[in-house]
Amino acid sequence: MTGGEAIELALPSPPGPLRLRLHPAGTDLVSDRLRATRLWEPFETRLCLALVGPGAVCVDVGANLGYFTVLAAARVGPGGHVYAFEPDADNYALLSANVSLNGLTDRCTLSSLALSDRAGEGFLYRSGDNLGDHQVYPGDGERPAVPIQLARGDAVLGATVDAIDFLKVDTQGSEAAVLAGLLPLLARQPRPPAILVELTPFSLALAGSTGRALVEALATLALPFWIVDHVAGRLAATDAEALATWCDNVAATAGDRGFMNILVGHAPAL
């Protein structure tokens, strides 16, 4: 899948103009929103642009069609680099096409590996109605499964990357496993990272972890925590225990699929 006609994103310049090819209409939430508004998660977009500068090293885990990959690659310039991971074959094809479309191939390394806390064989359980909602665990419904390769992030990146400046993790519930595989690298790097991660207790539980476990693992980096308030367009300061308690409360409420994006690291000027 390489998408149809490209749309131009509604971005400030720099880094615009940038273009993306999209999934067919009605098959992917991100593509449908981009088709309608030419932006995905406007405040998170501002946050990414503020956190990523020339020469930065960025990692996009769960890259989908490459929205944040392309944004970051445009910002890092020729002296920076973006490593993007997307295990679904159709999404990976779009990711590759979009990086090429924007002339960013030389500053991106793309991989079809699924980052995890272990290396080996695994399965991607594909959503039937949202191509951005595939997951690496069976979940609570019937989904067709395709084989994929799992890898630890510290093993894949450790030999070539001494520090990650910006890390985005959005993997539909497997965020705890992804971070477990990256934390050894993050903990020893010479400068602090900025980590944007989706926190969804319901999905984390289906994947065999908990929201509390993810928050407590991130807390070992001894960095500030922020709630990404996309409605108010601001970062709200919080702490690990407050977030872990919120996760416990959501997990204890039947049917509660509440989620939030959080930033771990020092807040940028916005």
Side-chain angles (χ1 to χ4, degrees), residues 12 19 23 25 49 94 99 132 148 160 169 195 199 205 207 220 234 270:
R19 296 182 298 155
H23 298 90
L49 295 177
L94 262 184
V99 167
I148 56 171
T160 56
V169 184
I195 305 170
L199 183 59
T220 63
R234 68 186 184 99
L270 291 170

Side-chain angles (χ1 to χ4, degrees), residues 27-29 88 90-91 124-137 141-146 172:
T27 65
D28 174 73
L29 178 62
D88 179 72
D90 288 342
N91 291 343
L124 187 69
Y125 296 84
R126 303 184 83 245
S127 170
D129 58 8
N130 181 2
L131 296 176
D133 191 36
H134 307 323
Q135 57 198 36
V136 298
Y137 54 91
E142 292 294 324
R143 290 176 175 231
V146 295
Q172 308 307 107

Side-chain angles (χ1 to χ4, degrees), residues 61 114-119 151-156 167 169 171 173-188 195 197 204 207-210 213-221:
V61 188
L115 293 194
S116 185
D117 55 356
R118 66 181 180 89
R152 287 182 60 95
D154 56 353
V156 174
L167 167 65
V169 184
T171 55
S174 59
E175 289 83 2
V178 171
L179 265 301
L182 282 167
L183 275 172
L185 174 59
L186 297 170
R188 68 174 182 262
I195 305 170
V197 58
L204 287 161
S209 185
T210 65
L214 174 55
V215 170
E216 291 179 346
L218 288 166
T220 63
L221 296 173

Side-chain angles (χ1 to χ4, degrees), residues 127 129 133 135 137-143 172-173 198-206 246-261:
S127 170
D129 58 8
D133 191 36
Q135 57 198 36
Y137 54 91
D140 60 348
E142 292 294 324
R143 290 176 175 231
Q172 308 307 107
E198 185 174 85
L199 183 59
T200 311
F202 178 83
S203 299
L204 287 161
L206 289 178
W246 176 82
C247 290
D248 292 343
N249 292 337
V250 170
T253 305
D256 192 335
R257 302 196 182 197
F259 71 95
M260 66 172 72
N261 288 330

Side-chain angles (χ1 to χ4, degrees), residues 71-167:
L71 256 62
R75 287 285 288 162
V76 301
H81 207 80
V82 180
Y83 298 84
F85 296 86
E86 175 50 59
D88 179 72
D90 288 342
N91 291 343
Y92 183 85
L94 262 184
L95 168 66
S96 301
N98 284 326
V99 167
S100 177
L101 176 66
N102 289 281
L104 299 169
T105 304
D106 61 340
R107 62 186 74 167
C108 293
T109 298
L110 310 181
S111 174
S112 59
L113 293 171
L115 293 194
S116 185
D117 55 356
R118 66 181 180 89
E121 297 179 351
F123 289 94
L124 187 69
Y125 296 84
R126 303 184 83 245
S127 170
D129 58 8
N130 181 2
L131 296 176
D133 191 36
H134 307 323
Q135 57 198 36
V136 298
Y137 54 91
D140 60 348
E142 292 294 324
R143 290 176 175 231
V146 295
I148 56 171
Q149 286 297 122
L150 306 175
R152 287 182 60 95
D154 56 353
V156 174
L157 296 169
T160 56
V161 173
D162 68 339
I164 297 169
D165 296 295
F166 176 67
L167 167 65

